[in-house]
Amino acid sequence: MILMYHKIYPESPTMWWVEVDQFYRQMSELAGKKVVYLDDYDPGNPDHVVITFDGVYHNVLQFAVPIMQKWNYPFEAFLVGDHLGGDNGFDQGEPLAAFIAHADLPRLVMAGGRLQWHTKTHNDLTFVRDSQTICNEFTV
């Protein structure tokens, strides 16, 4: 099982947010499983779980990381390069939320997070046909 989260916060204004108490409950229920990084994940093993964060918002560091540290859970953190230290103002219909800052990345790693690359700008690539534009999204 691969779990993917966006934002962890005391309230959940949209479906992309998970309330802190619900996140705690979910992490607690994983105590009998083996939480691993993606490299170690065996989809045929029903006890394997991967925890991922898409975009890595500052509230993940604030609320989710202390909970995962309680169980020493490793996790994957997918960063949006151009938005480190910025916000999700591009995400129409979503409440404004701050992305993690570059200076906070060492804390994320020390807590068991492994840094992964999401995209550079978080643009919707669904209809992009220009290969250079697509390649730029995957360049650090």
Side-chain angles (χ1 to χ4, degrees), residues 27 30 34-38 40 49-53 68-69 71-77 108-109 111-114:
M27 296 301 105
L30 297 178
K34 182 165 176 63
V35 180
V36 298
Y37 290 113
L38 279 169
D40 301 318
V49 177
V50 178
I51 301 168
T52 70
F53 292 95
M68 290 184 301
Q69 285 182 303
W71 286 281
N72 279 335
Y73 290 160
F75 58 97
E76 304 285 357
L108 206 63
V109 171
R114 190 168 66 166

mmCIF file of all heavy atoms in Angstrom, residues 27 30 34-38 40 49-53 68-69 71-77 108-109 111-114:
data_model
loop_
_atom_site.group_PDB
_atom_site.id
_atom_site.type_symbol
_atom_site.label_atom_id
_atom_site.label_comp_id
_atom_site.label_asym_id
_atom_site.label_seq_id
_atom_site.Cartn_x
_atom_site.Cartn_y
_atom_site.Cartn_z
ATOM 1 N N MET A 27 -1.655 6.715 11.171
ATOM 2 C CA MET A 27 -0.291 6.283 11.467
ATOM 3 C C MET A 27 -0.276 5.232 12.571
ATOM 4 O O MET A 27 0.482 4.267 12.525
ATOM 5 C CB MET A 27 0.597 7.474 11.860
ATOM 6 C CG MET A 27 0.806 8.499 10.743
ATOM 7 S SD MET A 27 1.580 7.825 9.242
ATOM 8 C CE MET A 27 0.163 7.725 8.128
ATOM 9 N N LEU A 30 -0.919 1.790 11.367
ATOM 10 C CA LEU A 30 0.173 1.178 10.610
ATOM 11 C C LEU A 30 1.199 0.492 11.507
ATOM 12 O O LEU A 30 2.142 -0.130 11.007
ATOM 13 C CB LEU A 30 0.896 2.234 9.763
ATOM 14 C CG LEU A 30 0.082 2.927 8.680
ATOM 15 C CD1 LEU A 30 0.941 3.968 7.979
ATOM 16 C CD2 LEU A 30 -0.467 1.918 7.692
ATOM 17 N N LYS A 34 5.047 -2.814 8.047
ATOM 18 C CA LYS A 34 6.436 -2.405 7.850
ATOM 19 C C LYS A 34 6.427 -1.203 6.904
ATOM 20 O O LYS A 34 6.175 -1.354 5.715
ATOM 21 C CB LYS A 34 7.260 -3.541 7.268
ATOM 22 C CG LYS A 34 8.719 -3.169 7.090
ATOM 23 C CD LYS A 34 9.576 -4.382 6.860
ATOM 24 C CE LYS A 34 11.014 -4.034 6.587
ATOM 25 N NZ LYS A 34 11.701 -3.380 7.645
ATOM 26 N N VAL A 35 6.692 -0.018 7.445
ATOM 27 C CA VAL A 35 6.726 1.204 6.650
ATOM 28 C C VAL A 35 8.125 1.320 6.054
ATOM 29 O O VAL A 35 9.126 1.270 6.777
ATOM 30 C CB VAL A 35 6.364 2.438 7.493
ATOM 31 C CG1 VAL A 35 6.416 3.707 6.652
ATOM 32 C CG2 VAL A 35 4.969 2.269 8.104
ATOM 33 N N VAL A 36 8.182 1.454 4.723
ATOM 34 C CA VAL A 36 9.454 1.433 4.003
ATOM 35 C C VAL A 36 9.516 2.589 2.995
ATOM 36 O O VAL A 36 8.503 3.208 2.678
ATOM 37 C CB VAL A 36 9.642 0.090 3.249
ATOM 38 C CG1 VAL A 36 9.681 -1.081 4.223
ATOM 39 C CG2 VAL A 36 8.558 -0.123 2.202
ATOM 40 N N TYR A 37 10.738 2.835 2.483
ATOM 41 C CA TYR A 37 10.910 3.761 1.372
ATOM 42 C C TYR A 37 10.470 3.073 0.079
ATOM 43 O O TYR A 37 10.376 1.845 0.016
ATOM 44 C CB TYR A 37 12.376 4.184 1.236
ATOM 45 C CG TYR A 37 12.872 5.072 2.346
ATOM 46 C CD1 TYR A 37 13.840 4.617 3.238
ATOM 47 C CD2 TYR A 37 12.396 6.365 2.499
ATOM 48 C CE1 TYR A 37 14.317 5.425 4.253
ATOM 49 C CE2 TYR A 37 12.863 7.183 3.513
ATOM 50 C CZ TYR A 37 13.822 6.712 4.388
ATOM 51 O OH TYR A 37 14.282 7.515 5.392
ATOM 52 N N LEU A 38 10.251 3.850 -0.945
ATOM 53 C CA LEU A 38 9.816 3.302 -2.233
ATOM 54 C C LEU A 38 10.782 2.249 -2.774
ATOM 55 O O LEU A 38 10.352 1.256 -3.348
ATOM 56 C CB LEU A 38 9.641 4.418 -3.263
ATOM 57 C CG LEU A 38 8.327 5.194 -3.185
ATOM 58 C CD1 LEU A 38 8.387 6.430 -4.077
ATOM 59 C CD2 LEU A 38 7.158 4.314 -3.578
ATOM 60 N N ASP A 40 12.399 0.067 -1.271
ATOM 61 C CA ASP A 40 12.274 -1.204 -0.557
ATOM 62 C C ASP A 40 10.872 -1.789 -0.630
ATOM 63 O O ASP A 40 10.619 -2.865 -0.083
ATOM 64 C CB ASP A 40 12.651 -1.006 0.922
ATOM 65 C CG ASP A 40 14.069 -0.484 1.063
ATOM 66 O OD1 ASP A 40 14.958 -0.969 0.336
ATOM 67 O OD2 ASP A 40 14.283 0.420 1.892
ATOM 68 N N VAL A 49 4.184 -0.743 3.534
ATOM 69 C CA VAL A 49 3.485 0.534 3.365
ATOM 70 C C VAL A 49 4.530 1.603 3.070
ATOM 71 O O VAL A 49 5.603 1.621 3.682
ATOM 72 C CB VAL A 49 2.703 0.925 4.640
ATOM 73 C CG1 VAL A 49 2.046 2.288 4.486
ATOM 74 C CG2 VAL A 49 1.690 -0.129 5.011
ATOM 75 N N VAL A 50 4.213 2.480 2.124
ATOM 76 C CA VAL A 50 5.036 3.653 1.833
ATOM 77 C C VAL A 50 4.195 4.884 2.122
ATOM 78 O O VAL A 50 3.029 4.956 1.713
ATOM 79 C CB VAL A 50 5.501 3.675 0.356
ATOM 80 C CG1 VAL A 50 6.320 4.940 0.076
ATOM 81 C CG2 VAL A 50 6.299 2.431 0.014
ATOM 82 N N ILE A 51 4.780 5.841 2.832
ATOM 83 C CA ILE A 51 4.113 7.112 3.121
ATOM 84 C C ILE A 51 4.757 8.181 2.252
ATOM 85 O O ILE A 51 5.979 8.348 2.269
ATOM 86 C CB ILE A 51 4.249 7.488 4.609
ATOM 87 C CG1 ILE A 51 3.638 6.407 5.492
ATOM 88 C CG2 ILE A 51 3.605 8.854 4.877
ATOM 89 C CD1 ILE A 51 3.984 6.551 6.965
ATOM 90 N N THR A 52 3.937 8.892 1.460
ATOM 91 C CA THR A 52 4.456 9.936 0.589
ATOM 92 C C THR A 52 3.724 11.253 0.839
ATOM 93 O O THR A 52 2.551 11.253 1.225
ATOM 94 C CB THR A 52 4.325 9.567 -0.903
ATOM 95 O OG1 THR A 52 2.953 9.596 -1.288
ATOM 96 C CG2 THR A 52 4.910 8.186 -1.197
ATOM 97 N N PHE A 53 4.444 12.341 0.590
ATOM 98 C CA PHE A 53 3.856 13.678 0.664
ATOM 99 C C PHE A 53 4.085 14.358 -0.669
ATOM 100 O O PHE A 53 5.216 14.483 -1.135
ATOM 101 C CB PHE A 53 4.472 14.485 1.810
ATOM 102 C CG PHE A 53 4.102 13.927 3.147
ATOM 103 C CD1 PHE A 53 4.943 13.035 3.785
ATOM 104 C CD2 PHE A 53 2.896 14.255 3.734
ATOM 105 C CE1 PHE A 53 4.594 12.487 5.001
ATOM 106 C CE2 PHE A 53 2.534 13.708 4.962
ATOM 107 C CZ PHE A 53 3.389 12.824 5.595
ATOM 108 N N MET A 68 4.955 10.964 12.801
ATOM 109 C CA MET A 68 5.696 9.851 12.186
ATOM 110 C C MET A 68 6.952 9.510 12.975
ATOM 111 O O MET A 68 7.346 8.345 13.038
ATOM 112 C CB MET A 68 6.026 10.178 10.739
ATOM 113 C CG MET A 68 4.792 10.179 9.857
ATOM 114 S SD MET A 68 5.154 10.437 8.125
ATOM 115 C CE MET A 68 5.952 12.027 8.175
ATOM 116 N N GLN A 69 7.556 10.503 13.615
ATOM 117 C CA GLN A 69 8.740 10.242 14.428
ATOM 118 C C GLN A 69 8.414 9.361 15.628
ATOM 119 O O GLN A 69 9.261 8.604 16.081
ATOM 120 C CB GLN A 69 9.377 11.554 14.887
ATOM 121 C CG GLN A 69 10.122 12.254 13.776
ATOM 122 C CD GLN A 69 10.780 13.525 14.247
ATOM 123 O OE1 GLN A 69 10.114 14.421 14.766
ATOM 124 N NE2 GLN A 69 12.090 13.605 14.066
ATOM 125 N N TRP A 71 6.755 6.758 15.640
ATOM 126 C CA TRP A 71 6.897 5.361 15.215
ATOM 127 C C TRP A 71 8.149 5.135 14.350
ATOM 128 O O TRP A 71 8.346 4.058 13.825
ATOM 129 C CB TRP A 71 5.657 4.911 14.445
ATOM 130 C CG TRP A 71 4.474 4.689 15.320
ATOM 131 C CD1 TRP A 71 4.217 3.593 16.103
ATOM 132 C CD2 TRP A 71 3.373 5.572 15.511
ATOM 133 N NE1 TRP A 71 3.037 3.751 16.761
ATOM 134 C CE2 TRP A 71 2.486 4.965 16.420
ATOM 135 C CE3 TRP A 71 3.039 6.834 15.006
ATOM 136 C CZ2 TRP A 71 1.293 5.552 16.832
ATOM 137 C CZ3 TRP A 71 1.870 7.431 15.421
ATOM 138 C CH2 TRP A 71 1.011 6.794 16.319
ATOM 139 N N ASN A 72 8.970 6.153 14.188
ATOM 140 C CA ASN A 72 10.153 6.048 13.321
ATOM 141 C C ASN A 72 9.807 5.649 11.894
ATOM 142 O O ASN A 72 10.500 4.836 11.277
ATOM 143 C CB ASN A 72 11.181 5.056 13.883
ATOM 144 C CG ASN A 72 12.026 5.660 14.962
ATOM 145 O OD1 ASN A 72 12.206 6.867 15.006
ATOM 146 N ND2 ASN A 72 12.528 4.821 15.833
ATOM 147 N N TYR A 73 8.741 6.212 11.357
ATOM 148 C CA TYR A 73 8.330 5.891 9.996
ATOM 149 C C TYR A 73 9.156 6.692 8.990
ATOM 150 O O TYR A 73 9.209 7.915 9.063
ATOM 151 C CB TYR A 73 6.854 6.230 9.768
ATOM 152 C CG TYR A 73 5.872 5.344 10.481
ATOM 153 C CD1 TYR A 73 4.579 5.790 10.692
ATOM 154 C CD2 TYR A 73 6.194 4.076 10.917
ATOM 155 C CE1 TYR A 73 3.630 4.990 11.328
ATOM 156 C CE2 TYR A 73 5.267 3.271 11.557
ATOM 157 C CZ TYR A 73 3.982 3.736 11.758
ATOM 158 O OH TYR A 73 3.062 2.941 12.390
ATOM 159 N N PRO A 74 9.736 6.005 8.009
ATOM 160 C CA PRO A 74 10.364 6.722 6.903
ATOM 161 C C PRO A 74 9.280 7.227 5.958
ATOM 162 O O PRO A 74 8.159 6.707 5.957
ATOM 163 C CB PRO A 74 11.218 5.642 6.231
ATOM 164 C CG PRO A 74 10.484 4.373 6.494
ATOM 165 C CD PRO A 74 9.845 4.551 7.861
ATOM 166 N N PHE A 75 9.610 8.231 5.153
ATOM 167 C CA PHE A 75 8.622 8.758 4.211
ATOM 168 C C PHE A 75 9.316 9.401 3.020
ATOM 169 O O PHE A 75 10.488 9.760 3.086
ATOM 170 C CB PHE A 75 7.673 9.757 4.890
ATOM 171 C CG PHE A 75 8.359 10.940 5.518
ATOM 172 C CD1 PHE A 75 8.459 12.146 4.837
ATOM 173 C CD2 PHE A 75 8.884 10.859 6.797
ATOM 174 C CE1 PHE A 75 9.086 13.250 5.410
ATOM 175 C CE2 PHE A 75 9.511 11.949 7.381
ATOM 176 C CZ PHE A 75 9.605 13.146 6.687
ATOM 177 N N GLU A 76 8.575 9.515 1.940
ATOM 178 C CA GLU A 76 9.054 10.139 0.712
ATOM 179 C C GLU A 76 8.450 11.540 0.634
ATOM 180 O O GLU A 76 7.253 11.714 0.859
ATOM 181 C CB GLU A 76 8.628 9.333 -0.513
ATOM 182 C CG GLU A 76 9.068 7.878 -0.492
ATOM 183 C CD GLU A 76 10.541 7.650 -0.791
ATOM 184 O OE1 GLU A 76 11.268 8.634 -1.075
ATOM 185 O OE2 GLU A 76 10.961 6.489 -0.756
ATOM 186 N N ALA A 77 9.286 12.528 0.308
ATOM 187 C CA ALA A 77 8.857 13.923 0.240
ATOM 188 C C ALA A 77 9.094 14.450 -1.175
ATOM 189 O O ALA A 77 10.234 14.689 -1.560
ATOM 190 C CB ALA A 77 9.642 14.754 1.255
ATOM 191 N N LEU A 108 13.607 17.855 7.582
ATOM 192 C CA LEU A 108 12.785 16.817 6.970
ATOM 193 C C LEU A 108 13.589 15.526 6.820
ATOM 194 O O LEU A 108 13.110 14.441 7.141
ATOM 195 C CB LEU A 108 12.297 17.317 5.608
ATOM 196 C CG LEU A 108 11.012 16.745 5.055
ATOM 197 C CD1 LEU A 108 9.830 17.070 5.940
ATOM 198 C CD2 LEU A 108 10.783 17.271 3.647
ATOM 199 N N VAL A 109 14.822 15.657 6.358
ATOM 200 C CA VAL A 109 15.690 14.487 6.168
ATOM 201 C C VAL A 109 16.044 13.854 7.509
ATOM 202 O O VAL A 109 16.002 12.627 7.658
ATOM 203 C CB VAL A 109 16.962 14.886 5.377
ATOM 204 C CG1 VAL A 109 17.975 13.749 5.354
ATOM 205 C CG2 VAL A 109 16.587 15.298 3.956
ATOM 206 N N ALA A 111 14.334 13.739 10.042
ATOM 207 C CA ALA A 111 13.139 13.089 10.584
ATOM 208 C C ALA A 111 12.782 11.816 9.823
ATOM 209 O O ALA A 111 11.770 11.183 10.120
ATOM 210 C CB ALA A 111 11.966 14.068 10.546
ATOM 211 N N GLY A 112 13.586 11.439 8.839
ATOM 212 C CA GLY A 112 13.314 10.211 8.090
ATOM 213 C C GLY A 112 12.766 10.424 6.701
ATOM 214 O O GLY A 112 12.416 9.462 6.012
ATOM 215 N N GLY A 113 12.688 11.677 6.276
ATOM 216 C CA GLY A 113 12.180 11.965 4.939
ATOM 217 C C GLY A 113 13.257 11.798 3.885
ATOM 218 O O GLY A 113 14.418 12.129 4.121
ATOM 219 N N ARG A 114 12.868 11.266 2.773
ATOM 220 C CA ARG A 114 13.783 11.163 1.637
ATOM 221 C C ARG A 114 13.263 12.106 0.567
ATOM 222 O O ARG A 114 12.104 12.021 0.163
ATOM 223 C CB ARG A 114 13.856 9.732 1.119
ATOM 224 C CG ARG A 114 14.974 9.569 0.100
ATOM 225 C CD ARG A 114 15.254 8.139 -0.190
ATOM 226 N NE ARG A 114 14.093 7.564 -0.855
ATOM 227 C CZ ARG A 114 14.113 6.399 -1.486
ATOM 228 N NH1 ARG A 114 15.210 5.682 -1.488
ATOM 229 N NH2 ARG A 114 13.038 5.944 -2.069
#
